[in-house]
Amino acid sequence: MFKTLYVRDAFQCEEGLEVELIGWIRSKRRHGKLIFLDLRDSTGIIQVAVKHGVADNESFMKALDIGLESSVKVKGRLKKDPRAPGGLELHCNHLEIVGPSLEDFPIKKGVGLKFLLDNRHLHLRSPRVAIIMKIRATLMDIARRWLRENGFVEVNCPTFITAAVEGGATLFKVDYFGKPAYLTQSVQFYQEAAIYSLEKVYSLQPSFRAELSRTRRHLTEFWHLEVEMAYADLYDIMKVIEELVYAIVNGLNKESEREIRTLGRELRPEMAEPPYPRIRYSEALQILQSKGVNINWGDDFGADEERILSKEFSKPFFVTHYPKEAKAFYHMPDPSNPSVCLNADLLAPGGYGEIVGGGQRIHDYNLLTERIRENNLNPEEYRWYLDLRKYGSVPHSGFGLGIERMLWWLLHLPHIRSACLFPRTPARVYP
Ligand code: 4AD
Ligand code: MG
């Protein structure tokens, strides 16, 4: 009786067991009457030995001819062999081809990066990509669990919007039955509406930015974990950010340790243990100026500044109290110095830079109207958002965390697009 197993489970079985494995052929080597096939499934890779005489003649001929990445069912016996990767191989009795490769599989050693991206739909079969996607799924799961356990309710917000959250320059315009609409940059304003009934909310969904910045950390579509909380000030929300980031790092270290090690990385939860250093924008500016960066009060930090600044830290750290002109209109001005706002960016150490942006929101109707005007925006376009301040407004704060930024930092990926199944960048909407 043959048992159909996942590859990973085969490695837990007794030698001699007759099994059936289902997967794809990753590589093939021939030594005369013996053909070695590497069989890959979602759980691992095992070497299959197809020996003439042990396998029936028809199966041997199929193995001889088989194209890489064909899908197969293989029946045989598990045999220990110290020469095989993992110390175990499958001695094939019978090979059945489920779906042959009709042409030579195009992804080969040595092909260039552009080719891999143009063929991302096939490159996804690489075990490295699969591991990153598993870690990504675990990261999102850990974050959701932590938020739920801490009383946050998941809400799902619209993707079509009519007014900018993070400035008009990065809006993607779409034709909405003859009227202009945009793709969301952040669901923050919808979450702000939701706190009046749910108090603590979060969303996990894509955000879009028409950002032409071709850096290693910018996507035009990214997954955004956003949190909003009623009756929370800047310092309350910074605590939530710290605890959530720590929960993610600690959780991944436990739940994805094996995968992370396969990528040659190690997560040390101590490196993300709260409290995180907190510096003000003015101090960050001094550090940058002392390093010869040509930057003036009021300028926002870009990728280059954040890289230089974050190399000075070995733990994630907050930069707070940015000049109000460097941030969106909704940020609460600091009552003791209204030229800066009660905001906090969390920067990852070692050159990675911003992974979280957030802070306290203006909850006063008149002040918010004034800030909208000062930013040369039309209060009429923000009517419903202003309405929220008319009826029982309360102090509140929130933040957004970029899922791909987080993975880029934690896994030390060469580029943020490695964190996506199908990355979207200024130069790429295909495949
Ligand atoms: O700092 P941002 O623009 O903040 C907001 O959108 C707030 N409205 C969020 C909120 O308070 N609810 O974006 C938040 C995070 C950044 O820190 C970064 O991690 C990620 O979103 N992000 C991007 N990730 C990849 N590519 C881009 N182009 C990104 N832009 C922002
Ligand atoms: Mg930001």
Side-chain angles (χ1 to χ4, degrees):
M1 191 51 196
F2 288 94
K3 261 173 104 174
T4 303
L5 294 178
Y6 280 115
V7 167
R8 184 180 46 212
D9 299 333
F11 281 94
Q12 308 303 323
C13 290
E14 304 246 318
E15 189 180 25
L17 189 72
E18 288 193 303
V19 300
E20 178 183 63
L21 300 178
I22 302 176
W24 290 264
I25 301 300
R26 183 160 169 77
S27 63
K28 178 169 110 173
R29 297 169 299 282
R30 183 180 177 188
H31 303 279
K33 297 249 173 211
L34 178 61
I35 300 163
F36 288 114
L37 304 174
D38 282 338
L39 179 93
R40 167 185 69 73
D41 73 2
S42 62
T43 65
I45 297 177
I46 189 168
Q47 180 166 292
V48 177
V50 190
K51 192 172 182 183
H52 196 258
V54 178
D56 57 68
N57 190 46
E58 198 187 332
S59 297
F60 184 82
M61 297 315 284
K62 281 182 191 162
L64 204 56
D65 209 36
I66 199 164
L68 297 189
E69 290 301 325
S70 300
S71 48
V72 294
K73 288 184 181 174
V74 190
K75 286 179 179 163
R77 268 181 207 281
L78 294 171
K79 279 271 167 14
K80 283 193 179 142
D81 189 326
R83 290 163 303 178
L88 188 80
E89 64 183 15
L90 180 69
H91 285 194
C92 168
N93 300 130
H94 186 73
L95 173 88
E96 180 189 330
I97 298 179
V98 179
S101 284
L102 304 179
E103 294 172 16
D104 240 15
F105 194 66
I107 310 276
K108 298 185 172 124
K109 259 209 166 75
V111 296
L113 179 63
K114 180 172 182 312
F115 188 84
L116 290 180
L117 289 166
D118 286 342
N119 290 280
R120 183 75 176 166
H121 52 298
L122 301 176
H123 186 217
L124 294 184
R125 301 182 185 202
S126 123
R128 184 183 148 83
V129 178
I131 284 170
I132 295 172
M133 292 310 131
K134 283 185 190 172
I135 298 171
R136 179 184 167 118
T138 306
L139 187 157
M140 306 220 308
D141 188 43
I142 292 167
R144 276 200 163 104
R145 260 185 277 150
W146 188 88
L147 285 159
R148 213 169 37 234
E149 279 161 17
N150 285 278
F152 291 85
V153 177
E154 181 163 2
V155 291
N156 307 126
C157 301
T159 301
F160 291 123
I161 56 151
T162 54
V165 177
E166 296 299 327
T170 62
L171 279 176
F172 270 113
K173 195 169 175 179
V174 291
D175 175 11
Y176 200 77
F177 305 112
K179 285 191 184 149
Y182 308 95
L183 298 181
T184 182
Q185 299 164 309
S186 157
V187 298
Q188 178 190 323
F189 293 176
Y190 296 101
Q191 291 195 330
E192 285 184 65
I195 59 163
Y196 291 88
S197 53
L198 299 167
E199 297 196 28
K200 293 165 78 174
V201 296
Y202 75 96
S203 318
L204 187 47
Q205 59 186 87
S207 280
F208 303 86
R209 305 278 169 108
E211 238 160 345
L212 269 172
S213 2
R214 289 167 202 262
T215 69
R216 295 188 301 140
R217 59 178 215 167
H218 280 96
L219 296 164
T220 50
E221 178 174 359
F222 66 94
W223 276 68
H224 207 170
L225 175 62
E226 294 186 82
V227 172
E228 198 69 31
M229 194 173 166
Y231 295 105
D233 66 14
L234 173 64
Y235 301 98
D236 297 326
I237 208 68
M238 284 163 78
K239 252 188 118 221
V240 175
I241 297 171
E242 283 178 335
E243 285 176 19
L244 172 63
V245 169
Y246 180 61
I248 291 174
V249 176
N250 199 27
L252 279 179
N253 184 51
K254 288 196 186 115
E255 296 175 36
S256 297
E257 201 222 344
R258 204 166 47 97
E259 281 100 355
I260 292 170
R261 220 170 340 104
T262 314
L263 295 178
R265 279 282 298 151
E266 185 198 356
L267 290 188
R268 285 176 299 105
E270 323 77 88
M271 75 172 195
E273 202 172 323
Y276 298 161
R278 298 173 175 200
I279 60 168
R280 292 186 173 225
Y281 171 89
S282 51
E283 295 166 72
L285 197 68
Q286 274 174 11
I287 298 177
L288 287 169
Q289 287 169 341
S290 75
K291 304 230 158 261
V293 179
N294 182 13
I295 184 168
N296 297 309
W297 171 267
D299 297 341
D300 198 2
F301 301 148
D304 290 341
E305 288 80 24
E306 288 186 6
R307 186 166 33 76
I308 295 167
L309 189 61
S310 68
K311 283 197 171 152
E312 302 296 302
F313 291 82
S314 55
K315 233 186 197 192
F317 62 102
F318 287 108
V319 185
T320 64
H321 299 83
Y322 279 60
K324 63 178 185 192
E325 54 271 37
K327 291 284 165 193
F329 69 88
Y330 57 74
H331 284 100
M332 178 75 144
D334 182 353
S336 66
N337 173 11
S339 68
V340 298
C341 46
L342 297 179
N343 81 296
D345 278 359
L346 185 73
L347 275 63
Y352 287 90
E354 182 187 340
I355 49 173
V356 177
Q360 190 169 336
R361 328 299 192 188
I362 298 174
H363 62 281
D364 179 76
Y365 181 83
N366 293 325
L367 182 56
L368 187 60
T369 311
E370 192 184 307
R371 289 293 294 138
I372 288 175
R373 290 221 172 88
E374 276 173 20
N375 278 267
N376 296 317
L377 299 167
N378 179 4
E380 198 40 43
E381 282 179 12
Y382 293 92
R383 194 161 42 82
W384 73 259
Y385 186 58
L386 278 162
D387 245 8
L388 303 176
R389 275 74 181 165
K390 275 192 189 167
Y391 310 100
S393 186
V394 294
H396 61 283
S397 299
F399 64 88
L401 177 156
I403 296 292
E404 294 85 359
R405 287 266 177 101
M406 189 86 180
L407 284 160
W408 176 56
W409 162 49
L410 291 175
L411 303 180
H412 287 190
L413 301 175
H415 192 291
I416 193 170
R417 66 183 160 232
S418 304
C420 312
L421 198 64
F422 287 98
R424 292 291 176 253
T425 59
R428 185 163 296 283
V429 280
Y430 173 94

Coordinates of all heavy atoms in Angstrom, one line a residue, residues 262-304:
T262 N 17.3 29.2 6.7 CA 17.6 28.8 5.4 C 18.1 29.9 4.5 O 18.8 29.8 3.6 CB 16.4 28.1 4.7 OG1 15.8 27.2 5.7 CG2 16.7 27.4 3.5
L263 N 17.5 31.1 4.8 CA 17.9 32.3 4.1 C 19.3 32.9 4.5 O 19.7 33.9 4.0 CB 16.9 33.4 4.2 CG 15.5 33.1 3.6 CD1 14.6 34.3 3.9 CD2 15.6 32.9 2.1
G264 N 19.9 32.2 5.5 CA 21.2 32.7 6.0 C 21.0 33.8 7.0 O 22.0 34.5 7.3
R265 N 19.8 34.0 7.6 CA 19.6 35.1 8.5 C 19.3 34.5 9.9 O 18.9 33.4 10.0 CB 18.4 35.9 8.1 CG 18.7 37.0 7.0 CD 19.5 38.2 7.6 NE 18.6 38.9 8.6 CZ 19.1 39.6 9.6 NH1 20.4 39.7 9.8 NH2 18.3 40.3 10.4
E266 N 19.4 35.4 10.9 CA 19.1 35.0 12.2 C 18.4 36.2 12.9 O 18.9 37.3 12.7 CB 20.3 34.6 13.0 CG 20.1 34.1 14.4 CD 21.4 34.2 15.2 OE1 22.5 34.6 14.7 OE2 21.3 33.9 16.4
L267 N 17.3 36.0 13.5 CA 16.6 37.1 14.2 C 16.9 37.0 15.7 O 16.7 36.0 16.3 CB 15.1 37.1 14.0 CG 14.5 37.3 12.6 CD1 13.0 37.4 12.7 CD2 15.1 38.6 12.1
R268 N 17.4 38.1 16.2 CA 17.6 38.1 17.7 C 16.6 39.0 18.3 O 16.6 40.2 18.1 CB 19.0 38.6 18.0 CG 20.1 37.5 17.8 CD 21.5 38.0 18.0 NE 21.8 39.2 17.1 CZ 21.9 40.4 17.5 NH1 21.7 40.8 18.7 NH2 22.2 41.4 16.6
P269 N 15.6 38.5 19.0 CA 14.5 39.3 19.5 C 15.0 40.5 20.4 O 14.4 41.5 20.4 CB 13.6 38.3 20.3 CG 14.0 37.0 19.8 CD 15.4 37.0 19.3
E270 N 16.2 40.3 21.0 CA 16.7 41.4 21.8 C 16.9 42.7 21.0 O 16.7 43.8 21.5 CB 18.1 41.1 22.5 CG 18.4 39.8 23.0 CD 18.8 38.8 21.9 OE1 20.0 38.7 21.5 OE2 17.9 38.1 21.5
M271 N 17.2 42.4 19.7 CA 17.4 43.6 18.9 C 16.2 44.5 18.6 O 16.3 45.6 18.1 CB 18.0 43.2 17.5 CG 17.0 42.6 16.6 SD 17.5 42.3 15.0 CE 16.0 42.1 14.1
A272 N 15.0 43.9 19.0 CA 13.8 44.7 18.8 C 13.0 44.8 20.1 O 11.8 45.1 20.1 CB 12.9 44.0 17.8
E273 N 13.7 44.6 21.2 CA 13.0 44.7 22.5 C 12.8 46.2 22.9 O 13.7 46.9 22.9 CB 13.9 44.0 23.6 CG 13.0 43.5 24.7 CD 13.8 42.6 25.7 OE1 14.7 41.8 25.2 OE2 13.6 42.8 26.9
P274 N 11.6 46.5 23.3 CA 11.3 47.9 23.7 C 12.0 48.1 25.1 O 12.3 47.2 25.8 CB 9.8 47.9 23.9 CG 9.3 46.7 23.1 CD 10.3 45.7 23.2
P275 N 12.2 49.4 25.5 CA 11.8 50.6 24.7 C 12.9 51.0 23.6 O 14.0 50.6 23.7 CB 11.9 51.7 25.8 CG 12.9 51.2 26.8 CD 12.8 49.7 26.8
Y276 N 12.4 51.6 22.6 CA 13.3 52.0 21.5 C 13.8 53.5 21.7 O 13.1 54.3 22.3 CB 12.5 52.0 20.2 CG 12.0 50.7 19.7 CD1 11.0 50.5 18.8 CD2 12.6 49.5 20.3 CE1 10.5 49.3 18.4 CE2 12.1 48.3 19.9 CZ 11.1 48.2 19.0 OH 10.6 46.9 18.7
P277 N 15.0 53.7 21.3 CA 15.5 55.1 21.4 C 14.6 56.1 20.8 O 13.9 55.7 19.8 CB 16.9 55.1 20.7 CG 17.2 53.6 20.6 CD 16.0 52.9 20.6
R278 N 14.4 57.3 21.3 CA 13.6 58.3 20.8 C 14.4 59.6 20.6 O 15.0 60.1 21.5 CB 12.4 58.6 21.7 CG 11.6 57.4 22.0 CD 10.6 57.6 23.1 NE 9.7 56.4 23.1 CZ 8.6 56.3 23.7 NH1 8.0 57.3 24.2 NH2 7.9 55.1 23.7
I279 N 14.4 60.0 19.3 CA 15.1 61.3 19.1 C 14.1 62.2 18.4 O 13.2 61.8 17.7 CB 16.4 61.2 18.3 CG1 16.2 60.6 16.9 CG2 17.5 60.4 19.1 CD1 17.4 60.8 16.0
R280 N 14.3 63.5 18.6 CA 13.5 64.5 17.8 C 14.1 64.8 16.5 O 15.3 64.6 16.3 CB 13.3 65.8 18.7 CG 12.5 65.5 19.9 CD 12.3 66.8 20.6 NE 11.4 66.5 21.8 CZ 10.3 67.3 22.1 NH1 10.1 68.4 21.4 NH2 9.5 67.0 23.1
Y281 N 13.3 65.3 15.6 CA 13.7 65.7 14.3 C 14.9 66.6 14.4 O 15.9 66.5 13.6 CB 12.6 66.4 13.6 CG 13.0 67.0 12.2 CD1 12.9 66.3 11.0 CD2 13.4 68.4 12.2 CE1 13.2 67.0 9.8 CE2 13.7 69.0 11.0 CZ 13.6 68.3 9.8 OH 14.0 68.9 8.7
S282 N 14.9 67.6 15.3 CA 16.0 68.6 15.4 C 17.3 67.9 15.8 O 18.4 68.2 15.2 CB 15.7 69.6 16.5 OG 15.3 69.0 17.7
E283 N 17.2 66.8 16.6 CA 18.5 66.1 16.9 C 18.9 65.3 15.7 O 20.1 65.2 15.4 CB 18.2 65.1 18.1 CG 17.9 65.8 19.4 CD 17.4 64.8 20.4 OE1 18.1 63.9 20.9 OE2 16.1 64.8 20.7
A284 N 18.0 64.7 15.0 CA 18.3 63.9 13.8 C 19.0 64.8 12.8 O 20.0 64.4 12.1 CB 17.1 63.3 13.2
L285 N 18.5 66.0 12.7 CA 19.0 67.0 11.7 C 20.5 67.3 12.1 O 21.4 67.4 11.2 CB 18.2 68.3 11.8 CG 18.3 69.2 10.6 CD1 17.8 68.6 9.3 CD2 17.6 70.5 10.9
Q286 N 20.7 67.5 13.4 CA 22.1 67.7 13.8 C 23.1 66.6 13.5 O 24.2 66.8 13.0 CB 22.2 67.9 15.3 CG 21.9 69.4 15.7 CD 21.8 69.6 17.3 OE1 22.1 68.6 18.0 NE2 21.3 70.7 17.7
I287 N 22.6 65.4 13.7 CA 23.4 64.2 13.4 C 23.7 64.2 11.9 O 24.9 64.0 11.5 CB 22.7 62.9 13.8 CG1 22.4 62.8 15.3 CG2 23.5 61.6 13.3 CD1 21.6 61.5 15.7
L288 N 22.7 64.5 11.1 CA 22.9 64.4 9.6 C 23.9 65.6 9.2 O 24.8 65.3 8.4 CB 21.6 64.6 8.9 CG 20.7 63.4 8.9 CD1 19.3 63.7 8.4 CD2 21.3 62.2 8.1
Q289 N 23.7 66.8 9.8 CA 24.6 67.9 9.4 C 26.0 67.6 9.8 O 26.9 67.9 9.1 CB 24.0 69.2 10.0 CG 22.8 69.6 9.3 CD 22.0 70.8 9.9 OE1 22.2 71.0 11.1 NE2 21.2 71.5 9.2
S290 N 26.2 66.9 11.0 CA 27.5 66.6 11.5 C 28.2 65.6 10.6 O 29.4 65.4 10.6 CB 27.5 66.1 12.9 OG 27.0 64.8 12.9
K291 N 27.4 64.9 9.8 CA 27.9 63.9 8.9 C 28.1 64.5 7.5 O 28.3 63.8 6.5 CB 27.0 62.7 8.8 CG 26.8 62.0 10.1 CD 27.0 60.5 10.1 CE 27.3 60.0 11.4 NZ 28.7 59.8 11.8
G292 N 27.9 65.8 7.4 CA 28.1 66.5 6.1 C 27.0 66.5 5.2 O 27.1 66.9 4.0
V293 N 25.8 66.0 5.7 CA 24.6 66.0 4.8 C 24.1 67.4 4.6 O 23.9 68.2 5.6 CB 23.5 65.1 5.3 CG1 22.3 65.1 4.4 CG2 24.0 63.7 5.5
N294 N 23.8 67.8 3.4 CA 23.3 69.2 3.1 C 21.8 69.2 3.3 O 21.1 68.9 2.3 CB 23.8 69.6 1.7 CG 23.3 71.0 1.4 OD1 22.9 71.8 2.3 ND2 23.4 71.4 0.1
I295 N 21.3 69.5 4.5 CA 19.9 69.4 4.7 C 19.5 70.6 5.7 O 20.3 70.9 6.6 CB 19.5 68.1 5.3 CG1 17.9 68.0 5.4 CG2 20.2 67.7 6.5 CD1 17.4 66.6 5.7
N296 N 18.4 71.2 5.5 CA 17.9 72.3 6.3 C 16.7 72.0 7.1 O 15.9 71.1 6.7 CB 17.7 73.5 5.4 CG 18.9 73.9 4.7 OD1 20.0 74.1 5.3 ND2 18.9 74.1 3.4
W297 N 16.5 72.7 8.1 CA 15.3 72.6 8.9 C 14.1 72.7 8.0 O 14.0 73.6 7.1 CB 15.2 73.7 10.0 CG 13.9 73.8 10.6 CD1 12.8 74.6 10.3 CD2 13.5 73.0 11.7 NE1 11.7 74.3 11.1 CE2 12.1 73.4 12.0 CE3 14.1 72.1 12.5 CZ2 11.4 72.8 13.0 CZ3 13.3 71.5 13.6 CH2 12.0 71.9 13.8
G298 N 13.1 71.8 8.1 CA 11.9 71.8 7.3 C 11.9 70.8 6.2 O 10.9 70.3 5.8
D299 N 13.1 70.3 5.8 CA 13.2 69.3 4.8 C 12.8 67.9 5.4 O 13.2 67.6 6.5 CB 14.6 69.2 4.2 CG 15.1 70.4 3.5 OD1 14.2 71.3 3.1 OD2 16.3 70.6 3.3
D300 N 12.0 67.2 4.6 CA 11.7 65.8 5.1 C 13.0 64.9 4.8 O 13.8 65.3 3.9 CB 10.5 65.3 4.3 CG 9.9 64.1 5.0 OD1 10.4 63.7 6.1 OD2 8.9 63.5 4.5
F301 N 13.1 63.9 5.5 CA 14.2 62.9 5.3 C 13.8 62.0 4.1 O 12.7 61.4 4.1 CB 14.5 62.1 6.5 CG 14.9 63.0 7.7 CD1 14.6 62.5 9.0 CD2 15.6 64.2 7.5 CE1 15.0 63.3 10.1 CE2 16.0 64.9 8.6 CZ 15.7 64.5 9.9
G302 N 14.7 61.8 3.2 CA 14.5 60.9 2.1 C 15.3 59.6 2.4 O 15.9 59.5 3.5
A303 N 15.3 58.7 1.4 CA 16.0 57.4 1.6 C 17.4 57.6 2.0 O 18.0 56.9 2.9 CB 15.9 56.6 0.3
D304 N 18.1 58.6 1.4 CA 19.6 58.8 1.6 C 19.8 59.2 3.1 O 20.6 58.7 3.8 CB 20.2 59.8 0.7 CG 20.2 59.3 -0.7 OD1 20.2 58.0 -0.9 OD2 20.3 60.1 -1.7

